[in-house]
Amino acid sequence: MTWHVSEEDLRAYARGELAPPVLWSADAHLTACAQCRGVLADVSDPVALDAGWERLDAELDAPRLGLFESLLVRIGVADHTARLLAATPVLRGSWLGSVVAVLVMTVVVANSRPDAGTPTLFLALAPLLPLAGVALSYGPALDPTYEMAVVSPTHGFRLLMIRTVAVLVAGLGLNGLATLALPEYGLRALAWLLPALALTATGLALTPRLGPVLAPALVGGSWVALLLTADALRAADGDPLAPFTAAGQGVAAAVAALAAGLLFLLRDRFDLFNGSAA
């Protein structure tokens, strides 16, 4: 070995304070270097070490995989990825049940006024559900498995994308099923899709700067303000709101594309993300 982890970094490693990417380098080095492992043993707190072994024993004695996690593993998802997905709060029954309840109520309201031209309430609420789902799936304030995710050998942006795709598949799938319950509106009932992608992408792009709570809250508030403004400016009650017109759909597509590009440019910021504004 021509390089060794410094004693200062080993002390930080023992306290759980070593930040990536130095953390990943130390992990890889310690597996092959007996000298550094010896230094780590000398600088480690024996009480904390015993607690760590107790946590490891608890993990080894943990119950078998749940139904959802087992299904993910069976279809070829890696074990650690399946565990991170199964632990995502918004993929649990309580959240999905709440989403279904909201969609059922909005579909009932839309079907009670088939002469309104567009299902305005449904189109207004549907884009907010994926945004809220993604917001609840990442970050120390909302994700009970955040610490496990931070120390996993997974790029922060990759973890975010894994959970985002899973949440979007679930959320957009439920929205799509609700859309099928509005056949009298035809393609107009799909006008929520591009705004949903725009809101979600924008919320994600702002997360490294504003955090996982403030960013989606501001995006969702801006969407509500936009709808209220559009409602005040439309000529007649039967006319669609501006975001659900052809022009509005084009703007939503452009915003989604720009936000996705910005998110890609900021992808490395998620490795340093600690749940507060950067």
Side-chain angles (χ1 to χ4, degrees), residues 162-187:
I162 289 173
R163 285 190 164 179
T164 295
V165 170
V167 172
L168 284 179
V169 168
L172 297 183
L174 291 174
N175 281 356
L177 291 175
T179 301
L180 296 177
L182 300 170
E184 64 273 16
Y185 294 101
L187 293 178

Side-chain angles (χ1 to χ4, degrees), residues 138-153:
Y138 188 81
L142 302 170
D143 180 11
T145 62
Y146 179 75
E147 288 78 9
M148 181 182 76
V150 168
V151 300
S152 68

Side-chain angles (χ1 to χ4, degrees), residues 201-228:
T202 302
L204 289 173
L206 294 177
T207 292
R209 172 64 61 180
L210 301 178
V213 177
L214 183 57
L218 286 177
V219 172
S222 299
W223 171 248
V224 173
L226 175 63
L227 293 178
L228 293 175

Side-chain angles (χ1 to χ4, degrees), residues 19-274:
V22 180
L23 171 63
W24 306 331
S25 299
D27 275 334
H29 181 79
L30 286 167
T31 59
C33 181
Q35 178 180 335
C36 286
R37 290 198 299 271
V39 176
L40 177 63
D42 291 337
V43 301
S44 297
D45 181 1
V47 176
L49 187 60
D50 290 340
W53 280 112
E54 290 176 3
R55 289 195 299 270
L56 179 59
D57 289 338
E59 287 293 330
L60 293 175
D61 294 334
R64 292 184 301 174
L65 301 181
L67 178 61
F68 180 53
E69 190 174 349
S70 299
L71 177 62
L72 291 174
V73 172
R74 284 180 177 274
I75 63 177
V77 178
D79 291 350
H80 66 280
T81 301
R83 176 62 54 87
L84 292 173
L85 284 174
T88 304
V90 296
L91 293 181
R92 297 174 183 171
S94 57
W95 166 259
L96 295 177
S98 299
V99 171
V100 170
V102 170
L103 291 175
V104 167
M105 286 188 293
T106 54
V107 166
V108 170
V109 171
N111 280 323
S112 67
R113 297 185 59 198
D115 58 336
T118 55
T120 302
L121 180 61
F122 175 75
L123 296 180
L125 289 178
L128 293 173
L129 298 177
L131 173 67
V134 172
L136 292 171
S137 69
Y138 188 81
L142 302 170
D143 180 11
T145 62
Y146 179 75
E147 288 78 9
M148 181 182 76
V150 168
V151 300
S152 68
T154 304
H155 191 286
F157 182 73
R158 181 173 181 269
L159 170 62
L160 176 66
M161 289 298 98
I162 289 173
R163 285 190 164 179
T164 295
V165 170
V167 172
L168 284 179
V169 168
L172 297 183
L174 291 174
N175 281 356
L177 291 175
T179 301
L180 296 177
L182 300 170
E184 64 273 16
Y185 294 101
L187 293 178
R188 291 170 296 174
L190 287 172
W192 57 268
L193 180 57
L194 287 174
L197 296 176
L199 294 182
T200 301
T202 302
L204 289 173
L206 294 177
T207 292
R209 172 64 61 180
L210 301 178
V213 177
L214 183 57
L218 286 177
V219 172
S222 299
W223 171 248
V224 173
L226 175 63
L227 293 178
L228 293 175
T229 303
D231 182 58
L233 295 178
R234 66 175 171 177
D237 288 341
D239 294 339
L241 296 180
F244 309 125
T245 62
Q249 294 289 289
V251 171
V255 170
L258 290 174
L262 179 61
L263 179 61
F264 179 77
L265 292 176
L266 298 176
R267 61 191 183 279
D268 291 333
R269 298 282 297 276
F270 286 92
D271 281 332
L272 303 175
F273 175 65
N274 62 3

